[in-house]
Amino acid sequence: MMRIYADNAATTKMSNTAIQAMLPYMAEIYGNPSSLYTIGQEAKEALENARARVAKCIGAEPREIIFTSGGSEADNQAIVSAAKSGERRGKKHIISTAFEHHAVLHTLKKLEKEQGFEVTLLDVHANGIVTAEEVANAIREDTCLVTVMFANNEIGTVQPIAEIGAVCREKGVLFHTDAVQAAGHTTIDVKAQNIDMLSISAHKFHGPKGAGVLYAKKGIPLVNLIEGGAQERGKRAGTENVPAIMGLAAALEEATANIAAYEAKMIPLRDRLIAGLSEIPYGELNGDREHRLPGTVNFCFEGIEGESLLLLLDDKGVSASSGSACTSGSLDPSHVLLAIGRPHEVAHGSLRLSFGEDVTVEEIDYTIEAVKEVVAYLRGMSPFWRDLESGKRPHIFAK
């Protein structure tokens, strides 16, 4: 039986490049970068070299890079910083979307509840896209921040980031994007795409867990989430995780350099997967067919419960998910699928498949057949499905 890992949107296997980049800073150059003696200064030099390399990958300047513990921390610091800056100018309105990652949504909810901010969550079209025009129409005189994710973590749709950023730049509003799913998988240029702040996480592009980046354009005042030291230009206290940062820089460099080859391989395989799964009756792709990440596909199937689908796929050797890894313990339907208009009864039965660049045609075809078999098996034992087939309940999707 094949063993196929199809949950790269949750986390990726560390690359050998990242592992080898980390090893010297665990065993040899292990000094504290804030120390003045030689081994500490060697670590400091490596840290600043990594900062410059990361900056180059996204078109930024080294001093605009703050190392964090991951995407969630970077999201929090970006949003809180923009909110505080806006508050000082009497601006307490923030615009986001209804299908953001919870690191964004929960931070916005806290600002509403505890500090009196007003948040506008834009509706998302059925194709999983928000337009720049909709953002422009929502901006008010008291808007201090727009935060729209680069690529959705569940359905993989990619937003018109450059156009949204241009609108924000014209209106004088800060623009943040959660690019955790996008970094290393599609081209990012913060200057060309009009991005003021951006969040990424190493373990989404074959780097280590627990390492991330906040890009903040020069001149944007940042609020400290962690106090206690002068690290990261005084914006993030605590001894830097030099081994993880070296792994992050190496992995991002490698992924960024290979984006063209990655897309050339993955897009045809992704489309092959979509075509195969589209043969299953009463199922539909979630999100736009074209404007999506090269390796991520998300489907809903009528009459299917997501947990059973995942467990039976695992029995067949396919490791998949039904949505965000951060909410895998929740019994509620995906807020992302509800945001694009899926009803509760099918939002519970979603399947996310996210492949890495080592996937083969044979693995794609095996996955398609495994999903077909499991869906047929589950429907065969489902009273709800029998009601659909007998006409007692109406079908949602076309056959």
Side-chain angles (χ1 to χ4, degrees):
M1 180 177 69
M2 283 191 178
R3 296 299 308 180
I4 300 170
Y5 183 67
D7 201 19
N8 283 267
T11 197
T12 57
K13 178 182 178 182
M14 276 187 63
S15 68
N16 187 59
T17 299
I19 293 170
Q20 294 305 314
M22 293 173 69
L23 289 176
Y25 300 92
M26 292 188 281
E28 300 162 20
I29 310 170
Y30 51 82
N32 188 319
S34 297
S35 301
L36 295 178
Y37 42 75
T38 300
I39 195 170
Q41 288 304 295
E42 287 175 340
K44 177 69 171 178
E45 183 179 354
L47 178 68
E48 296 311 317
N49 176 261
R51 197 184 310 279
R53 290 157 60 198
V54 168
K56 185 177 180 180
C57 287
I58 63 172
E61 298 177 22
R63 70 189 305 268
E64 297 174 319
I65 300 298
I66 303 294
F67 290 116
T68 70
S69 64
S72 292
E73 181 188 334
D75 284 341
N76 274 254
Q77 189 168 18
I79 293 168
V80 170
S81 296
K84 290 295 184 185
S85 178
E87 186 175 36
R88 286 193 292 269
R89 294 174 289 124
K91 298 188 175 188
K92 299 188 69 172
H93 176 240
I94 299 173
I95 298 168
S96 190
T97 76
F99 76 159
E100 297 293 314
H101 190 277
H102 283 117
V104 170
L105 293 177
H106 289 179
T107 305
L108 295 176
K109 181 63 70 176
K110 186 174 182 180
L111 286 170
E112 277 188 307
K113 184 178 179 180
E114 298 181 5
Q115 298 182 39
F117 279 79
E118 183 181 350
V119 176
T120 297
L121 295 181
L122 298 175
D123 292 330
V124 184
H125 293 278
N127 66 351
I129 305 290
V130 173
T131 69
E133 182 180 10
E134 288 163 332
V135 172
N137 291 338
I139 292 177
R140 310 184 324 204
E141 287 295 322
D142 61 340
T143 303
C144 62
L145 172 68
V146 170
T147 176
V148 175
M149 67 196 327
F150 204 119
N152 186 266
N153 53 302
E154 291 192 29
I155 61 176
T157 50
V158 176
Q159 307 305 307
I161 292 300
E163 290 85 351
I164 293 172
V167 165
C168 295
R169 191 64 51 84
E170 180 185 346
K171 302 279 189 177
V173 176
L174 287 178
F175 176 48
H176 165 256
T177 184
D178 177 335
V180 166
Q181 293 292 333
H185 303 287
T186 191
T187 301
I188 295 175
D189 185 326
V190 294
K191 300 293 192 290
Q193 292 168 321
N194 306 298
I195 298 168
D196 296 312
M197 293 186 287
L198 173 142
S199 310
I200 65 176
S201 186
H203 74 106
K204 305 295 188 177
F205 48 81
H206 303 291
K209 298 174 182 66
V213 168
L214 170 62
Y215 155 76
K217 185 181 176 183
K218 184 169 56 180
I220 293 176
L222 294 179
V223 172
N224 293 10
L225 299 184
I226 304 172
E227 301 287 357
Q231 294 88 354
E232 298 302 293
R233 301 201 330 273
K235 299 305 179 185
R236 205 264 184 182
T239 301
E240 294 93 345
N241 186 347
V242 178
I245 288 168
M246 300 309 294
L248 181 157
L252 185 60
E253 274 187 328
E254 184 174 53
T256 301
N258 292 313
I259 282 176
Y262 171 77
E263 291 179 333
K265 176 183 179 179
M266 294 302 299
I267 291 174
L269 291 176
R270 178 200 69 194
D271 292 346
R272 184 185 186 96
L273 178 65
I274 291 172
L277 296 181
S278 295
E279 295 174 358
I280 299 174
Y282 303 109
E284 280 192 5
L285 175 70
N286 292 311
D288 193 89
R289 192 176 181 116
E290 303 295 330
H291 299 288
R292 64 171 51 251
L293 293 170
T296 300
V297 169
N298 188 305
F299 266 78
C300 279
F301 303 104
E302 286 188 54
I304 297 298
E305 190 276 317
E307 186 174 350
S308 299
L309 177 62
L310 299 183
L311 291 173
L312 289 174
L313 283 176
D314 189 47
D315 284 343
K316 290 183 175 292
V318 179
S319 301
S321 77
S322 60
S324 169
C326 302
T327 58
S328 60
S330 172
L331 296 177
D332 295 328
S334 160
H335 74 287
V336 171
L337 298 183
L338 296 180
I340 65 171
R342 296 302 191 202
H344 281 67
E345 57 267 34
V346 295
H348 271 295
S350 65
L351 173 67
R352 181 182 70 181
L353 297 164
S354 48
F355 289 98
E357 59 273 20
D358 57 348
V359 68
T360 64
V361 173
E362 292 74 22
E363 289 173 330
I364 292 291
D365 289 345
Y366 179 91
T367 301
I368 292 169
E369 292 308 310
V371 174
K372 287 181 176 179
E373 291 172 11
V374 170
V375 168
Y377 173 77
L378 289 174
R379 285 175 170 172
M381 56 189 294
S382 167
F384 183 81
W385 178 251
R386 287 195 291 272
D387 286 348
L388 288 169
E389 288 292 84
S390 67
K392 291 181 180 178
R393 296 173 183 265
H395 279 291
I396 297 167
F397 301 141
K399 188 172 184 179

